[in-house]
Amino acid sequence: MDTPPAAAGPSAPTGATRPGALGDLAERAMRSALLTLSHRRALGRLATGLPITRAMVRRFVAGETLEEALPAIERLHAHGLATTVDVLGESVAAEAEARAACARYLAVLTALADRGLDRNVSLKPSQMGLKIDERLAHENVAAVVGRAVETGAFVRIDMEDSGSTDRTLALWRELRPSDRSSGADVGVVLQAALRRTEADIDELIAARGRVRLCKGAYKEPEAVAFQDKADVDAAYERLMIRLLHEGTYPALATHDVRLINRAVDVARVDGISRDAFEFQMLYGVRRDLQEQLAGAGWRVRVYVPFGAEWYPYFMRRLAERPANVSFLVRNLWRDRSRG
Ligand code: FDA
């Protein structure tokens, strides 16, 4: 079994501060407001037209087209980082939009295979039509999985708001290929914030399902999700340790240095091989940490989104870190003062 070097665990970001009780409240209010705004389509149309927001968006989004995103993917590979590609778009309201999104994924899988790049994509059920008609989403995801089987690719079904958890898990159950010998497989995501996840994880572990564990990016009511960050973090730690011991090649999706160090310690102490799991992080978030971990020999995959429909994705990234909002506001202000 692999043993990481003593200094394999990453260090905390410099300048990190711990907000007090008031700061916590303000942060929670800001997060809640940004997540509410992420659903406002009219605001999205306005924001996507502003040049300055577009510049900030480029930090989190690899481009508007696949051609723009491909060099970013190649650069990540050159730094020893694996990738999963996300074609931005979600909560589509018309069948034609869902079918167009499906066609984009088919093209991405073909392009990745043709160029010898990582054949790994992440898609959202609501982008495939889940909120219009379950059968439509099933057909679209099945088409993507079909192309994944042809190209030996991996498809991750992202998890959205708790109203779609059951239908998303059903999609995973129905569409996971029975023959996974070519490397083609379908995985799903579980959110530590949801109270139900402790039970869902039992099923996924028993079925040897490939789980990505994240904290959860959606605004959820107290009845279904922990509201305190400390409770979400504690749940993540418990679930992560279960997956490390009992899961099938789990993906630990977090930028939380404490949790990452905990995973490194558990792997080291319990003799879990470095190739038995991977860390996952978002494009543009903690690039230093991504490279530090990969440099220390851990597997790291970067979630690379591209496309013109970046507004809700971008708003969730702002909600995760209020400092991102002040950066955006400073830039908007500077731009305005320049006239
Ligand atoms: P936390 O929010 O505690 O952040 C820890 C530290 O990371 C922060 O202190 C900061 O330094 C840094 N950080 C985090 N977010 C940042 C940001 N946006 N900008 C700058 N710095 C930031 N969610 C979901 O509901 N469904 C899904 O399918 C997925 N899929 C997914 C894939 C991958 C690869 C990742 C990494 C994340 C997701 N998520 C997700 C999002 C996830 O639920 C969560 O909202 C974010 O990862 C932020 O949580 P952290 O675990 O990073 O911890």
Side-chain angles (χ1 to χ4, degrees), residues 211-268:
V211 175
R212 173 200 291 153
L213 180 66
C214 67
K215 289 191 186 175
Y218 296 82
K219 189 172 166 177
E220 300 289 355
E222 174 138 30
V224 296
F226 303 113
Q227 305 294 306
D228 280 351
K229 182 168 165 36
D231 292 334
V232 177
D233 291 356
Y236 192 103
E237 186 172 344
R238 279 195 303 277
L239 297 161
M240 173 182 89
I241 292 173
R242 278 207 65 191
L243 284 172
L244 282 170
H245 287 139
E246 303 166 66
T248 300
Y249 195 71
L252 308 178
T254 184
H255 316 90
D256 188 325
V257 176
R258 192 189 70 78
L259 288 168
I260 291 170
N261 276 328
R262 183 84 174 100
V264 165
D265 280 350
V266 170
R268 191 179 57 218

Side-chain angles (χ1 to χ4, degrees), residues 7-11 72 74-82 255 260 279 281-302:
S11 49
E74 281 161 357
R75 268 196 307 278
L76 290 164
H77 290 344
H79 283 91
L81 298 160
H255 316 90
I260 291 170
F279 292 106
M281 295 189 214
L282 300 175
Y283 181 80
V285 178
R286 294 303 313 267
R287 277 172 283 204
D288 55 336
L289 186 53
Q290 297 172 9
E291 288 181 18
Q292 199 184 333
L293 275 169
W298 299 96
R299 289 191 175 188
V300 182
R301 185 178 304 279
V302 180

Side-chain angles (χ1 to χ4, degrees), residues 159 191 212 215-217 229 254-255 317 320-321 324:
M159 191 59 81
Q191 297 155 320
R212 173 200 291 153
K215 289 191 186 175
K229 182 168 165 36
T254 184
H255 316 90
R317 302 297 77 83
E320 282 154 6
R321 191 161 178 262
N324 291 341

